[in-house]
Amino acid sequence: MSVLNIQAQPLTREAFAPYGTAICIPTDGNPDRPTDRFNFWPKLSLYQCDSGIFQIGVSTFFKRPFRTVNMERHFKTEEFMTPLTGPIVIVFCPNKQVDGKDQPDYQKAEAFLITEKQAVVVGKEVWHWTPMPLENETSIICSFAEDTQKYDLDVQSLPSGEVVQVVL
């Protein structure tokens, strides 16, 4: 077995840009709607799907080793994820062509630590794997095109014996 260790990095807009949009609670700048009761920063990100119908769900993930032997992507939708009850780590990697077929370029994988005050919008066709919680159990909100999990899910295994492992 060959294990590729990658260091989880803090989520920043710049570091995450190759994979989509990082959303963080604004700490500077001017909100569009400042009042004495709240501030509102709309349009921190916009995302799309082919159908125009999004579903919003909650997933609960259970603590497991910070490693994967699979990657997934969606062709027709971007995906929004934000942790509700604890931080998560998600692995992302670019695409590569091998014999004319798309494959995750797992040797260039990156992992991001995403806190409850952050979110990501994963771009279309971006390879990623399911969130890995730092706590025993963590719930996230996930949103993408309706029925993505049934009709727009491309899961590929890494080559036999290859593992991507995240180091915190």
Side-chain angles (χ1 to χ4, degrees):
M1 171 173 38
S2 173
V3 177
L4 174 65
N5 286 308
I6 59 173
Q7 182 74 44
Q9 58 186 299
L11 182 69
T12 66
R13 291 182 72 86
E14 298 77 21
F16 190 73
Y19 308 107
T21 303
I23 302 170
C24 304
I25 294 175
T27 56
D28 57 2
N30 296 315
D32 280 7
R33 188 170 176 204
T35 72
D36 61 346
R37 294 177 293 124
F38 64 88
N39 290 331
F40 181 50
W41 285 270
K43 297 184 184 179
L44 293 176
S45 177
L46 300 173
Y47 68 109
Q48 301 176 8
C49 70
D50 288 358
S51 70
I53 300 172
F54 288 92
Q55 66 183 39
I56 297 171
V58 172
S59 293
T60 299
F61 294 96
F62 307 105
K63 193 164 189 174
R64 62 190 194 274
F66 296 130
R67 49 180 26 199
T68 184
V69 295
N70 299 303
M71 297 298 284
E72 71 173 54
R73 66 181 174 171
H74 314 290
F75 291 101
K76 299 177 183 177
T77 187
E78 296 173 288
E79 180 176 5
F80 171 85
M81 291 184 274
T82 187
L84 294 173
T85 61
I88 57 174
V89 171
I90 303 178
V91 175
F92 299 88
C93 68
N95 190 55
K96 69 177 180 178
Q97 290 279 315
V98 177
D99 297 327
K101 294 184 180 182
D102 289 349
Q103 292 186 358
D105 192 353
Y106 70 94
Q107 293 189 345
K108 294 182 180 176
E110 295 186 87
F112 291 90
L113 175 63
I114 304 163
T115 71
E116 303 90 331
K117 296 181 179 185
Q118 298 174 314
V120 293
V121 177
V122 182
K124 290 181 184 181
E125 300 187 32
V126 170
W127 294 104
H128 60 286
W129 193 236
T130 57
M132 296 175 266
L134 275 61
E135 300 172 359
N136 286 336
E137 181 177 297
T138 298
S139 294
I140 72 164
I141 289 179
C142 180
S143 176
F144 43 54
E146 183 179 33
D147 294 328
T148 289
Q149 70 280 12
K150 293 179 187 174
Y151 305 112
D152 187 22
L153 181 61
D154 178 16
V155 178
Q156 290 195 19
S157 298
L158 302 182
S160 181
E162 299 297 323
V163 176
V164 173
Q165 180 168 279
V166 178
V167 179
L168 298 179

mmCIF file with all atom_site columns, all heavy atoms in Angstrom, residues 38-61:
data_model
loop_
_atom_site.group_PDB
_atom_site.id
_atom_site.type_symbol
_atom_site.label_atom_id
_atom_site.label_alt_id
_atom_site.label_comp_id
_atom_site.label_asym_id
_atom_site.label_entity_id
_atom_site.label_seq_id
_atom_site.pdbx_PDB_ins_code
_atom_site.Cartn_x
_atom_site.Cartn_y
_atom_site.Cartn_z
_atom_site.occupancy
_atom_site.B_iso_or_equiv
_atom_site.pdbx_formal_charge
_atom_site.auth_seq_id
_atom_site.auth_comp_id
_atom_site.auth_asym_id
_atom_site.auth_atom_id
_atom_site.pdbx_PDB_model_num
ATOM 1   N N   . PHE A 1 38 ? -28.574 44.083 12.816  1.00 0.00 ? 38 PHE A N   1
ATOM 2   C CA  . PHE A 1 38 ? -27.781 43.069 12.119  1.00 0.00 ? 38 PHE A CA  1
ATOM 3   C C   . PHE A 1 38 ? -27.043 43.701 10.949  1.00 0.00 ? 38 PHE A C   1
ATOM 4   O O   . PHE A 1 38 ? -27.366 44.804 10.519  1.00 0.00 ? 38 PHE A O   1
ATOM 5   C CB  . PHE A 1 38 ? -28.665 41.905 11.620  1.00 0.00 ? 38 PHE A CB  1
ATOM 6   C CG  . PHE A 1 38 ? -29.687 42.308 10.594  1.00 0.00 ? 38 PHE A CG  1
ATOM 7   C CD1 . PHE A 1 38 ? -29.386 42.316 9.233   1.00 0.00 ? 38 PHE A CD1 1
ATOM 8   C CD2 . PHE A 1 38 ? -30.966 42.691 10.980  1.00 0.00 ? 38 PHE A CD2 1
ATOM 9   C CE1 . PHE A 1 38 ? -30.324 42.695 8.293   1.00 0.00 ? 38 PHE A CE1 1
ATOM 10  C CE2 . PHE A 1 38 ? -31.916 43.071 10.039  1.00 0.00 ? 38 PHE A CE2 1
ATOM 11  C CZ  . PHE A 1 38 ? -31.589 43.074 8.688   1.00 0.00 ? 38 PHE A CZ  1
ATOM 12  N N   . ASN A 1 39 ? -26.062 42.969 10.445  1.00 0.00 ? 39 ASN A N   1
ATOM 13  C CA  . ASN A 1 39 ? -25.378 43.305 9.204   1.00 0.00 ? 39 ASN A CA  1
ATOM 14  C C   . ASN A 1 39 ? -25.677 42.197 8.208   1.00 0.00 ? 39 ASN A C   1
ATOM 15  O O   . ASN A 1 39 ? -25.786 41.024 8.593   1.00 0.00 ? 39 ASN A O   1
ATOM 16  C CB  . ASN A 1 39 ? -23.863 43.405 9.405   1.00 0.00 ? 39 ASN A CB  1
ATOM 17  C CG  . ASN A 1 39 ? -23.472 44.605 10.217  1.00 0.00 ? 39 ASN A CG  1
ATOM 18  O OD1 . ASN A 1 39 ? -24.141 45.632 10.209  1.00 0.00 ? 39 ASN A OD1 1
ATOM 19  N ND2 . ASN A 1 39 ? -22.383 44.489 10.941  1.00 0.00 ? 39 ASN A ND2 1
ATOM 20  N N   . PHE A 1 40 ? -25.791 42.536 6.938   1.00 0.00 ? 40 PHE A N   1
ATOM 21  C CA  . PHE A 1 40 ? -26.107 41.537 5.917   1.00 0.00 ? 40 PHE A CA  1
ATOM 22  C C   . PHE A 1 40 ? -25.151 41.686 4.752   1.00 0.00 ? 40 PHE A C   1
ATOM 23  O O   . PHE A 1 40 ? -25.039 42.757 4.161   1.00 0.00 ? 40 PHE A O   1
ATOM 24  C CB  . PHE A 1 40 ? -27.559 41.715 5.445   1.00 0.00 ? 40 PHE A CB  1
ATOM 25  C CG  . PHE A 1 40 ? -27.989 40.717 4.407   1.00 0.00 ? 40 PHE A CG  1
ATOM 26  C CD1 . PHE A 1 40 ? -27.799 39.360 4.585   1.00 0.00 ? 40 PHE A CD1 1
ATOM 27  C CD2 . PHE A 1 40 ? -28.595 41.142 3.236   1.00 0.00 ? 40 PHE A CD2 1
ATOM 28  C CE1 . PHE A 1 40 ? -28.202 38.437 3.625   1.00 0.00 ? 40 PHE A CE1 1
ATOM 29  C CE2 . PHE A 1 40 ? -29.005 40.242 2.266   1.00 0.00 ? 40 PHE A CE2 1
ATOM 30  C CZ  . PHE A 1 40 ? -28.800 38.872 2.472   1.00 0.00 ? 40 PHE A CZ  1
ATOM 31  N N   . TRP A 1 41 ? -24.432 40.611 4.456   1.00 0.00 ? 41 TRP A N   1
ATOM 32  C CA  . TRP A 1 41 ? -23.547 40.542 3.305   1.00 0.00 ? 41 TRP A CA  1
ATOM 33  C C   . TRP A 1 41 ? -24.156 39.541 2.321   1.00 0.00 ? 41 TRP A C   1
ATOM 34  O O   . TRP A 1 41 ? -23.912 38.334 2.429   1.00 0.00 ? 41 TRP A O   1
ATOM 35  C CB  . TRP A 1 41 ? -22.156 40.052 3.706   1.00 0.00 ? 41 TRP A CB  1
ATOM 36  C CG  . TRP A 1 41 ? -21.300 41.039 4.426   1.00 0.00 ? 41 TRP A CG  1
ATOM 37  C CD1 . TRP A 1 41 ? -20.436 41.916 3.866   1.00 0.00 ? 41 TRP A CD1 1
ATOM 38  C CD2 . TRP A 1 41 ? -21.185 41.225 5.835   1.00 0.00 ? 41 TRP A CD2 1
ATOM 39  N NE1 . TRP A 1 41 ? -19.782 42.642 4.836   1.00 0.00 ? 41 TRP A NE1 1
ATOM 40  C CE2 . TRP A 1 41 ? -20.230 42.234 6.057   1.00 0.00 ? 41 TRP A CE2 1
ATOM 41  C CE3 . TRP A 1 41 ? -21.802 40.640 6.941   1.00 0.00 ? 41 TRP A CE3 1
ATOM 42  C CZ2 . TRP A 1 41 ? -19.883 42.671 7.330   1.00 0.00 ? 41 TRP A CZ2 1
ATOM 43  C CZ3 . TRP A 1 41 ? -21.456 41.072 8.202   1.00 0.00 ? 41 TRP A CZ3 1
ATOM 44  C CH2 . TRP A 1 41 ? -20.509 42.076 8.383   1.00 0.00 ? 41 TRP A CH2 1
ATOM 45  N N   . PRO A 1 42 ? -24.954 39.980 1.363   1.00 0.00 ? 42 PRO A N   1
ATOM 46  C CA  . PRO A 1 42 ? -25.529 39.045 0.403   1.00 0.00 ? 42 PRO A CA  1
ATOM 47  C C   . PRO A 1 42 ? -24.509 38.670 -0.674  1.00 0.00 ? 42 PRO A C   1
ATOM 48  O O   . PRO A 1 42 ? -23.480 39.337 -0.833  1.00 0.00 ? 42 PRO A O   1
ATOM 49  C CB  . PRO A 1 42 ? -26.690 39.827 -0.208  1.00 0.00 ? 42 PRO A CB  1
ATOM 50  C CG  . PRO A 1 42 ? -26.227 41.246 -0.146  1.00 0.00 ? 42 PRO A CG  1
ATOM 51  C CD  . PRO A 1 42 ? -25.397 41.350 1.112   1.00 0.00 ? 42 PRO A CD  1
ATOM 52  N N   . LYS A 1 43 ? -24.810 37.632 -1.360  1.00 0.00 ? 43 LYS A N   1
ATOM 53  C CA  . LYS A 1 43 ? -24.020 37.209 -2.521  1.00 0.00 ? 43 LYS A CA  1
ATOM 54  C C   . LYS A 1 43 ? -22.551 36.967 -2.205  1.00 0.00 ? 43 LYS A C   1
ATOM 55  O O   . LYS A 1 43 ? -21.669 37.343 -2.979  1.00 0.00 ? 43 LYS A O   1
ATOM 56  C CB  . LYS A 1 43 ? -24.169 38.209 -3.664  1.00 0.00 ? 43 LYS A CB  1
ATOM 57  C CG  . LYS A 1 43 ? -25.583 38.317 -4.188  1.00 0.00 ? 43 LYS A CG  1
ATOM 58  C CD  . LYS A 1 43 ? -25.660 39.231 -5.379  1.00 0.00 ? 43 LYS A CD  1
ATOM 59  C CE  . LYS A 1 43 ? -27.107 39.408 -5.824  1.00 0.00 ? 43 LYS A CE  1
ATOM 60  N NZ  . LYS A 1 43 ? -27.220 40.309 -6.958  1.00 0.00 ? 43 LYS A NZ  1
ATOM 61  N N   . LEU A 1 44 ? -22.272 36.320 -1.070  1.00 0.00 ? 44 LEU A N   1
ATOM 62  C CA  . LEU A 1 44 ? -20.896 35.912 -0.812  1.00 0.00 ? 44 LEU A CA  1
ATOM 63  C C   . LEU A 1 44 ? -20.471 34.883 -1.842  1.00 0.00 ? 44 LEU A C   1
ATOM 64  O O   . LEU A 1 44 ? -19.295 34.696 -2.114  1.00 0.00 ? 44 LEU A O   1
ATOM 65  C CB  . LEU A 1 44 ? -20.751 35.344 0.603   1.00 0.00 ? 44 LEU A CB  1
ATOM 66  C CG  . LEU A 1 44 ? -20.947 36.356 1.736   1.00 0.00 ? 44 LEU A CG  1
ATOM 67  C CD1 . LEU A 1 44 ? -20.868 35.656 3.086   1.00 0.00 ? 44 LEU A CD1 1
ATOM 68  C CD2 . LEU A 1 44 ? -19.914 37.469 1.645   1.00 0.00 ? 44 LEU A CD2 1
ATOM 69  N N   . SER A 1 45 ? -21.457 34.214 -2.419  1.00 0.00 ? 45 SER A N   1
ATOM 70  C CA  . SER A 1 45 ? -21.206 33.277 -3.507  1.00 0.00 ? 45 SER A CA  1
ATOM 71  C C   . SER A 1 45 ? -22.523 33.028 -4.222  1.00 0.00 ? 45 SER A C   1
ATOM 72  O O   . SER A 1 45 ? -23.591 33.078 -3.612  1.00 0.00 ? 45 SER A O   1
ATOM 73  C CB  . SER A 1 45 ? -20.669 31.948 -2.959  1.00 0.00 ? 45 SER A CB  1
ATOM 74  O OG  . SER A 1 45 ? -20.496 31.021 -4.011  1.00 0.00 ? 45 SER A OG  1
ATOM 75  N N   . LEU A 1 46 ? -22.448 32.792 -5.503  1.00 0.00 ? 46 LEU A N   1
ATOM 76  C CA  . LEU A 1 46 ? -23.591 32.342 -6.283  1.00 0.00 ? 46 LEU A CA  1
ATOM 77  C C   . LEU A 1 46 ? -23.219 30.998 -6.866  1.00 0.00 ? 46 LEU A C   1
ATOM 78  O O   . LEU A 1 46 ? -22.065 30.763 -7.222  1.00 0.00 ? 46 LEU A O   1
ATOM 79  C CB  . LEU A 1 46 ? -23.892 33.326 -7.419  1.00 0.00 ? 46 LEU A CB  1
ATOM 80  C CG  . LEU A 1 46 ? -24.217 34.758 -7.011  1.00 0.00 ? 46 LEU A CG  1
ATOM 81  C CD1 . LEU A 1 46 ? -24.328 35.642 -8.249  1.00 0.00 ? 46 LEU A CD1 1
ATOM 82  C CD2 . LEU A 1 46 ? -25.494 34.806 -6.211  1.00 0.00 ? 46 LEU A CD2 1
ATOM 83  N N   . TYR A 1 47 ? -24.174 30.074 -6.955  1.00 0.00 ? 47 TYR A N   1
ATOM 84  C CA  . TYR A 1 47 ? -23.857 28.818 -7.609  1.00 0.00 ? 47 TYR A CA  1
ATOM 85  C C   . TYR A 1 47 ? -25.037 28.336 -8.414  1.00 0.00 ? 47 TYR A C   1
ATOM 86  O O   . TYR A 1 47 ? -26.140 28.832 -8.271  1.00 0.00 ? 47 TYR A O   1
ATOM 87  C CB  . TYR A 1 47 ? -23.330 27.777 -6.621  1.00 0.00 ? 47 TYR A CB  1
ATOM 88  C CG  . TYR A 1 47 ? -24.280 27.232 -5.594  1.00 0.00 ? 47 TYR A CG  1
ATOM 89  C CD1 . TYR A 1 47 ? -24.733 25.928 -5.691  1.00 0.00 ? 47 TYR A CD1 1
ATOM 90  C CD2 . TYR A 1 47 ? -24.683 27.971 -4.505  1.00 0.00 ? 47 TYR A CD2 1
ATOM 91  C CE1 . TYR A 1 47 ? -25.568 25.385 -4.739  1.00 0.00 ? 47 TYR A CE1 1
ATOM 92  C CE2 . TYR A 1 47 ? -25.514 27.453 -3.543  1.00 0.00 ? 47 TYR A CE2 1
ATOM 93  C CZ  . TYR A 1 47 ? -25.952 26.151 -3.665  1.00 0.00 ? 47 TYR A CZ  1
ATOM 94  O OH  . TYR A 1 47 ? -26.782 25.629 -2.721  1.00 0.00 ? 47 TYR A OH  1
ATOM 95  N N   . GLN A 1 48 ? -24.768 27.400 -9.331  1.00 0.00 ? 48 GLN A N   1
ATOM 96  C CA  . GLN A 1 48 ? -25.756 27.028 -10.328 1.00 0.00 ? 48 GLN A CA  1
ATOM 97  C C   . GLN A 1 48 ? -25.891 25.513 -10.452 1.00 0.00 ? 48 GLN A C   1
ATOM 98  O O   . GLN A 1 48 ? -24.997 24.770 -10.071 1.00 0.00 ? 48 GLN A O   1
ATOM 99  C CB  . GLN A 1 48 ? -25.353 27.571 -11.693 1.00 0.00 ? 48 GLN A CB  1
ATOM 100 C CG  . GLN A 1 48 ? -25.198 29.059 -11.743 1.00 0.00 ? 48 GLN A CG  1
ATOM 101 C CD  . GLN A 1 48 ? -24.707 29.526 -13.102 1.00 0.00 ? 48 GLN A CD  1
ATOM 102 O OE1 . GLN A 1 48 ? -24.625 28.772 -14.050 1.00 0.00 ? 48 GLN A OE1 1
ATOM 103 N NE2 . GLN A 1 48 ? -24.376 30.793 -13.197 1.00 0.00 ? 48 GLN A NE2 1
ATOM 104 N N   . CYS A 1 49 ? -27.012 25.129 -11.038 1.00 0.00 ? 49 CYS A N   1
ATOM 105 C CA  . CYS A 1 49 ? -27.194 23.746 -11.457 1.00 0.00 ? 49 CYS A CA  1
ATOM 106 C C   . CYS A 1 49 ? -27.997 23.762 -12.753 1.00 0.00 ? 49 CYS A C   1
ATOM 107 O O   . CYS A 1 49 ? -28.687 24.731 -13.047 1.00 0.00 ? 49 CYS A O   1
ATOM 108 C CB  . CYS A 1 49 ? -27.892 22.913 -10.391 1.00 0.00 ? 49 CYS A CB  1
ATOM 109 S SG  . CYS A 1 49 ? -29.629 23.287 -10.126 1.00 0.00 ? 49 CYS A SG  1
ATOM 110 N N   . ASP A 1 50 ? -27.877 22.714 -13.527 1.00 0.00 ? 50 ASP A N   1
ATOM 111 C CA  . ASP A 1 50 ? -28.556 22.657 -14.823 1.00 0.00 ? 50 ASP A CA  1
ATOM 112 C C   . ASP A 1 50 ? -30.071 22.743 -14.697 1.00 0.00 ? 50 ASP A C   1
ATOM 113 O O   . ASP A 1 50 ? -30.736 23.377 -15.510 1.00 0.00 ? 50 ASP A O   1
ATOM 114 C CB  . ASP A 1 50 ? -28.173 21.380 -15.575 1.00 0.00 ? 50 ASP A CB  1
ATOM 115 C CG  . ASP A 1 50 ? -26.747 21.425 -16.097 1.00 0.00 ? 50 ASP A CG  1
ATOM 116 O OD1 . ASP A 1 50 ? -26.063 22.455 -15.914 1.00 0.00 ? 50 ASP A OD1 1
ATOM 117 O OD2 . ASP A 1 50 ? -26.312 20.426 -16.687 1.00 0.00 ? 50 ASP A OD2 1
ATOM 118 N N   . SER A 1 51 ? -30.656 22.122 -13.671 1.00 0.00 ? 51 SER A N   1
ATOM 119 C CA  . SER A 1 51 ? -32.115 22.086 -13.541 1.00 0.00 ? 51 SER A CA  1
ATOM 120 C C   . SER A 1 51 ? -32.694 23.361 -12.947 1.00 0.00 ? 51 SER A C   1
ATOM 121 O O   . SER A 1 51 ? -33.868 23.649 -13.128 1.00 0.00 ? 51 SER A O   1
ATOM 122 C CB  . SER A 1 51 ? -32.540 20.900 -12.668 1.00 0.00 ? 51 SER A CB  1
ATOM 123 O OG  . SER A 1 51 ? -32.172 21.128 -11.310 1.00 0.00 ? 51 SER A OG  1
ATOM 124 N N   . GLY A 1 52 ? -31.893 24.103 -12.199 1.00 0.00 ? 52 GLY A N   1
ATOM 125 C CA  . GLY A 1 52 ? -32.400 25.292 -11.527 1.00 0.00 ? 52 GLY A CA  1
ATOM 126 C C   . GLY A 1 52 ? -33.137 24.969 -10.235 1.00 0.00 ? 52 GLY A C   1
ATOM 127 O O   . GLY A 1 52 ? -33.613 25.863 -9.558  1.00 0.00 ? 52 GLY A O   1
ATOM 128 N N   . ILE A 1 53 ? -33.242 23.699 -9.875  1.00 0.00 ? 53 ILE A N   1
ATOM 129 C CA  . ILE A 1 53 ? -33.911 23.296 -8.634  1.00 0.00 ? 53 ILE A CA  1
ATOM 130 C C   . ILE A 1 53 ? -32.855 22.716 -7.700  1.00 0.00 ? 53 ILE A C   1
ATOM 131 O O   . ILE A 1 53 ? -32.188 21.735 -8.026  1.00 0.00 ? 53 ILE A O   1
ATOM 132 C CB  . ILE A 1 53 ? -35.013 22.249 -8.894  1.00 0.00 ? 53 ILE A CB  1
ATOM 133 C CG1 . ILE A 1 53 ? -36.064 22.821 -9.836  1.00 0.00 ? 53 ILE A CG1 1
ATOM 134 C CG2 . ILE A 1 53 ? -35.643 21.804 -7.579  1.00 0.00 ? 53 ILE A CG2 1
ATOM 135 C CD1 . ILE A 1 53 ? -37.083 21.796 -10.302 1.00 0.00 ? 53 ILE A CD1 1
ATOM 136 N N   . PHE A 1 54 ? -32.712 23.333 -6.541  1.00 0.00 ? 54 PHE A N   1
ATOM 137 C CA  . PHE A 1 54 ? -31.742 22.877 -5.562  1.00 0.00 ? 54 PHE A CA  1
ATOM 138 C C   . PHE A 1 54 ? -32.441 22.134 -4.437  1.00 0.00 ? 54 PHE A C   1
ATOM 139 O O   . PHE A 1 54 ? -33.587 22.413 -4.110  1.00 0.00 ? 54 PHE A O   1
ATOM 140 C CB  . PHE A 1 54 ? -30.987 24.068 -4.951  1.00 0.00 ? 54 PHE A CB  1
ATOM 141 C CG  . PHE A 1 54 ? -30.028 24.699 -5.899  1.00 0.00 ? 54 PHE A CG  1
ATOM 142 C CD1 . PHE A 1 54 ? -30.414 25.768 -6.696  1.00 0.00 ? 54 PHE A CD1 1
ATOM 143 C CD2 . PHE A 1 54 ? -28.733 24.233 -5.997  1.00 0.00 ? 54 PHE A CD2 1
ATOM 144 C CE1 . PHE A 1 54 ? -29.521 26.354 -7.572  1.00 0.00 ? 54 PHE A CE1 1
ATOM 145 C CE2 . PHE A 1 54 ? -27.833 24.811 -6.878  1.00 0.00 ? 54 PHE A CE2 1
ATOM 146 C CZ  . PHE A 1 54 ? -28.229 25.874 -7.654  1.00 0.00 ? 54 PHE A CZ  1
ATOM 147 N N   . GLN A 1 55 ? -31.723 21.202 -3.831  1.00 0.00 ? 55 GLN A N   1
ATOM 148 C CA  . GLN A 1 55 ? -32.201 20.576 -2.607  1.00 0.00 ? 55 GLN A CA  1
ATOM 149 C C   . GLN A 1 55 ? -31.234 20.944 -1.499  1.00 0.00 ? 55 GLN A C   1
ATOM 150 O O   . GLN A 1 55 ? -30.040 21.152 -1.743  1.00 0.00 ? 55 GLN A O   1
ATOM 151 C CB  . GLN A 1 55 ? -32.304 19.060 -2.748  1.00 0.00 ? 55 GLN A CB  1
ATOM 152 C CG  . GLN A 1 55 ? -30.987 18.340 -2.933  1.00 0.00 ? 55 GLN A CG  1
ATOM 153 C CD  . GLN A 1 55 ? -31.166 16.852 -3.141  1.00 0.00 ? 55 GLN A CD  1
ATOM 154 O OE1 . GLN A 1 55 ? -32.085 16.419 -3.813  1.00 0.00 ? 55 GLN A OE1 1
ATOM 155 N NE2 . GLN A 1 55 ? -30.270 16.075 -2.557  1.00 0.00 ? 55 GLN A NE2 1
ATOM 156 N N   . ILE A 1 56 ? -31.756 21.072 -0.295  1.00 0.00 ? 56 ILE A N   1
ATOM 157 C CA  . ILE A 1 56 ? -30.948 21.348 0.879   1.00 0.00 ? 56 ILE A CA  1
ATOM 158 C C   . ILE A 1 56 ? -31.147 20.181 1.823   1.00 0.00 ? 56 ILE A C   1
ATOM 159 O O   . ILE A 1 56 ? -32.283 19.782 2.105   1.00 0.00 ? 56 ILE A O   1
ATOM 160 C CB  . ILE A 1 56 ? -31.371 22.666 1.559   1.00 0.00 ? 56 ILE A CB  1
ATOM 161 C CG1 . ILE A 1 56 ? -31.146 23.837 0.603   1.00 0.00 ? 56 ILE A CG1 1
ATOM 162 C CG2 . ILE A 1 56 ? -30.611 22.869 2.866   1.00 0.00 ? 56 ILE A CG2 1
ATOM 163 C CD1 . ILE A 1 56 ? -31.722 25.151 1.091   1.00 0.00 ? 56 ILE A CD1 1
ATOM 164 N N   . GLY A 1 57 ? -30.050 19.612 2.296   1.00 0.00 ? 57 GLY A N   1
ATOM 165 C CA  . GLY A 1 57 ? -30.136 18.477 3.202   1.00 0.00 ? 57 GLY A CA  1
ATOM 166 C C   . GLY A 1 57 ? -29.133 18.608 4.327   1.00 0.00 ? 57 GLY A C   1
ATOM 167 O O   . GLY A 1 57 ? -28.271 19.486 4.326   1.00 0.00 ? 57 GLY A O   1
ATOM 168 N N   . VAL A 1 58 ? -29.271 17.720 5.281   1.00 0.00 ? 58 VAL A N   1
ATOM 169 C CA  . VAL A 1 58 ? -28.332 17.630 6.392   1.00 0.00 ? 58 VAL A CA  1
ATOM 170 C C   . VAL A 1 58 ? -27.712 16.248 6.358   1.00 0.00 ? 58 VAL A C   1
ATOM 171 O O   . VAL A 1 58 ? -28.410 15.248 6.199   1.00 0.00 ? 58 VAL A O   1
ATOM 172 C CB  . VAL A 1 58 ? -29.032 17.870 7.749   1.00 0.00 ? 58 VAL A CB  1
ATOM 173 C CG1 . VAL A 1 58 ? -28.089 17.584 8.912   1.00 0.00 ? 58 VAL A CG1 1
ATOM 174 C CG2 . VAL A 1 58 ? -29.562 19.289 7.839   1.00 0.00 ? 58 VAL A CG2 1
ATOM 175 N N   . SER A 1 59 ? -26.406 16.195 6.461   1.00 0.00 ? 59 SER A N   1
ATOM 176 C CA  . SER A 1 59 ? -25.679 14.934 6.571   1.00 0.00 ? 59 SER A CA  1
ATOM 177 C C   . SER A 1 59 ? -24.969 14.908 7.912   1.00 0.00 ? 59 SER A C   1
ATOM 178 O O   . SER A 1 59 ? -24.436 15.938 8.349   1.00 0.00 ? 59 SER A O   1
ATOM 179 C CB  . SER A 1 59 ? -24.619 14.793 5.481   1.00 0.00 ? 59 SER A CB  1
ATOM 180 O OG  . SER A 1 59 ? -25.205 14.678 4.224   1.00 0.00 ? 59 SER A OG  1
ATOM 181 N N   . THR A 1 60 ? -24.980 13.762 8.555   1.00 0.00 ? 60 THR A N   1
ATOM 182 C CA  . THR A 1 60 ? -24.223 13.577 9.787   1.00 0.00 ? 60 THR A CA  1
ATOM 183 C C   . THR A 1 60 ? -23.102 12.596 9.492   1.00 0.00 ? 60 THR A C   1
ATOM 184 O O   . THR A 1 60 ? -23.346 11.502 8.988   1.00 0.00 ? 60 THR A O   1
ATOM 185 C CB  . THR A 1 60 ? -25.119 13.066 10.925  1.00 0.00 ? 60 THR A CB  1
ATOM 186 O OG1 . THR A 1 60 ? -26.143 14.031 11.164  1.00 0.00 ? 60 THR A OG1 1
ATOM 187 C CG2 . THR A 1 60 ? -24.318 12.868 12.208  1.00 0.00 ? 60 THR A CG2 1
ATOM 188 N N   . PHE A 1 61 ? -21.883 13.007 9.772   1.00 0.00 ? 61 PHE A N   1
ATOM 189 C CA  . PHE A 1 61 ? -20.706 12.186 9.526   1.00 0.00 ? 61 PHE A CA  1
ATOM 190 C C   . PHE A 1 61 ? -20.130 11.729 10.855  1.00 0.00 ? 61 PHE A C   1
ATOM 191 O O   . PHE A 1 61 ? -20.175 12.455 11.848  1.00 0.00 ? 61 PHE A O   1
ATOM 192 C CB  . PHE A 1 61 ? -19.654 12.983 8.737   1.00 0.00 ? 61 PHE A CB  1
ATOM 193 C CG  . PHE A 1 61 ? -20.116 13.319 7.356   1.00 0.00 ? 61 PHE A CG  1
ATOM 194 C CD1 . PHE A 1 61 ? -20.699 14.549 7.078   1.00 0.00 ? 61 PHE A CD1 1
ATOM 195 C CD2 . PHE A 1 61 ? -19.995 12.407 6.328   1.00 0.00 ? 61 PHE A CD2 1
ATOM 196 C CE1 . PHE A 1 61 ? -21.147 14.861 5.805   1.00 0.00 ? 61 PHE A CE1 1
ATOM 197 C CE2 . PHE A 1 61 ? -20.436 12.699 5.047   1.00 0.00 ? 61 PHE A CE2 1
ATOM 198 C CZ  . PHE A 1 61 ? -21.017 13.928 4.790   1.00 0.00 ? 61 PHE A CZ  1
#
